[in-house]
Amino acid sequence: MGPDPAVAAVRLAVRHVLSDLPQGAMVLAACSGGADSLALAAALAFEAPRAGRPAGGVTIDHGLQEGSAERADAVVRTMVDLGLDPSGSVAVTVEGPGGPENAARVARYAALDDAADRWGASAVLLGHTRDDQAETVLLGLARGSGARSLSGMPPTFRRSQGVLYARPLLELDRATTRRACEAMGLEPWDDPHNVDPAYARVRVRHEALPALEKALGPGVAEALARTAGMLRDDADALDELASRAFSDLETTEDGYSVAVALEGLEGLPRAVRTRVLRMAAVKAGSPPGTLAAVHVDAMDRLVTAWRGQRHVDLPGRLRAVRRYGKLLFVPV
């Protein structure tokens, strides 16, 4: 008799990711102790030895709740019991711009990067599910974001350190991971923050998505996740076109960090042109997290609707100006 269908589904998802990694590469599971990441950690502990590779686990103590250190220790003990070796916790300080959620995310990924480097891991597995993907798309819609944001979370990505991050469970729903934990006799921890309506994602999870399901019928989360996948393909294609255009149009001008030739830029489709402008601004030093659509639109008006306006101020103490047949970026 085989494993419970939910357990089999989670294991299969992890197996597919492991099969794409270099032989023998160390893999870490990022585990908070919640049902999604706990099911992921258990599946990795089962699949990694069968794939002939070492596997470990890491949990992040954000220090945002009383008893968080004890909770992290309990998660480490669970990962050790599952057979993940090495396993450990990393305490972080949550502070910085963008609100507590963004600050926690920044601190968490920095800690995961450090853990991967310390243990020689080539990949870190994250427990995001299809439900998380649907929530991400709805949040992007509420912000009026573009195709890249609406494409949701990518199945895999790399940060500057080169470690591969993978989300094996994006095709599975949250109910499946909870059933898998129950079938394996694992007791997940339910983070109180996950039911705190002060957080926008919690309101989407417990209010917006159920309301949409009630109004439109079941399958909304699956449809949103499917839409994200299609938009990701479109965004990838447009980004590739923009990257080539930027390479062709980038030029030099004394005293300016980045310069882009207007001839050729003006005639590009807007979807490509605005991406080129964003790439140029980021290369010149504007932080991508704070460079918003309003800034890109203002730069685009310098290109396509210039009426003598002087410049556009950008995040990162940067200025875009039109001069000498070029769009120029200079620190201020």
Side-chain angles (χ1 to χ4, degrees):
M1 183 176 178
D4 181 276
V7 175
V10 176
R11 288 176 177 174
L12 180 62
V14 170
R15 191 183 312 152
H16 284 161
V17 170
L18 295 183
S19 67
D20 292 333
L21 298 177
Q23 189 66 31
M26 160 76 79
V27 182
L28 297 178
C31 183
S32 68
D36 302 337
S37 61
L38 189 57
L40 174 73
L44 178 61
F46 181 87
E47 293 291 338
R50 290 159 177 77
R53 67 177 72 249
V58 59
T59 189
I60 308 301
D61 175 13
H62 297 88
L64 297 176
Q65 301 169 4
E66 185 176 351
S68 63
E70 291 77 11
R71 167 52 51 188
D73 289 342
V75 174
V76 171
R77 289 195 298 272
T78 298
M79 293 189 294
V80 170
D81 291 343
L82 289 171
L84 295 175
D85 182 23
S87 287
S89 66
V90 181
V92 299
T93 300
V94 176
E95 59 184 11
E101 290 177 276
N102 183 69
R105 186 183 306 109
V106 170
R108 180 166 59 251
Y109 277 114
L112 291 173
D113 286 342
D114 290 343
D117 180 64
R118 183 167 66 253
W119 290 332
S122 64
V124 177
L125 305 188
L126 306 172
H128 298 114
T129 66
R130 186 171 62 200
D131 298 273
D132 296 306
Q133 187 74 295
E135 293 160 10
T136 299
V137 174
L138 277 182
L139 287 167
L141 280 170
R143 290 191 298 265
S145 302
R148 175 54 67 192
S149 179
L150 297 182
S151 66
M153 297 177 288
T156 62
F157 64 97
R158 293 185 187 273
R159 285 164 54 82
S160 58
Q161 290 79 358
V163 176
L164 176 72
Y165 284 83
R167 298 182 170 104
L169 309 184
L170 279 183
E171 299 297 321
L172 304 179
D173 62 16
R174 195 172 288 134
T176 297
T177 63
R178 190 163 289 275
R179 287 198 304 270
C181 287
E182 292 172 356
M184 291 184 285
L186 299 173
E187 187 174 346
W189 172 65
D190 293 318
D191 187 344
H193 284 165
N194 289 336
V195 292
D196 185 348
Y199 296 98
R201 183 174 288 273
V202 172
R203 296 194 298 273
V204 167
R205 180 175 303 173
H206 296 289
E207 298 175 27
L209 271 172
L212 286 171
E213 294 271 359
K214 182 178 180 180
L216 302 175
V220 170
E222 294 92 327
L224 288 169
R226 186 168 59 252
T227 299
M230 291 186 288
L231 281 172
R232 189 178 307 113
D233 291 340
D234 293 346
D236 287 345
L238 288 169
D239 285 349
E240 177 61 27
L241 290 173
S243 180
R244 293 177 186 173
F246 183 36
S247 296
D248 292 340
L249 296 172
E250 186 178 14
T251 182
T252 59
E253 185 68 35
D254 290 345
Y256 295 89
S257 57
V258 174
V260 182
L262 290 173
E263 186 178 1
L265 182 62
E266 296 168 311
L268 292 173
R270 187 176 189 279
V272 178
R273 186 175 63 247
T274 53
R275 281 169 165 79
V276 171
L277 293 171
R278 180 177 177 84
M279 290 175 184
V282 169
K283 182 174 181 180
S286 190
T290 53
L291 183 65
V294 64
H295 302 117
V296 176
D297 287 344
M299 287 189 288
D300 195 46
R301 287 193 293 273
L302 286 180
V303 176
T304 63
W306 189 56
R307 298 294 184 271
Q309 56 265 48
R310 295 177 60 189
H311 59 258
V312 172
D313 289 321
L314 302 171
R317 299 184 61 81
L318 191 70
R319 180 170 290 171
V321 297
R322 176 175 174 141
R323 197 171 298 161
Y324 316 125
K326 302 170 184 177
L327 193 67
L328 308 170
F329 295 83
V330 61
V332 294

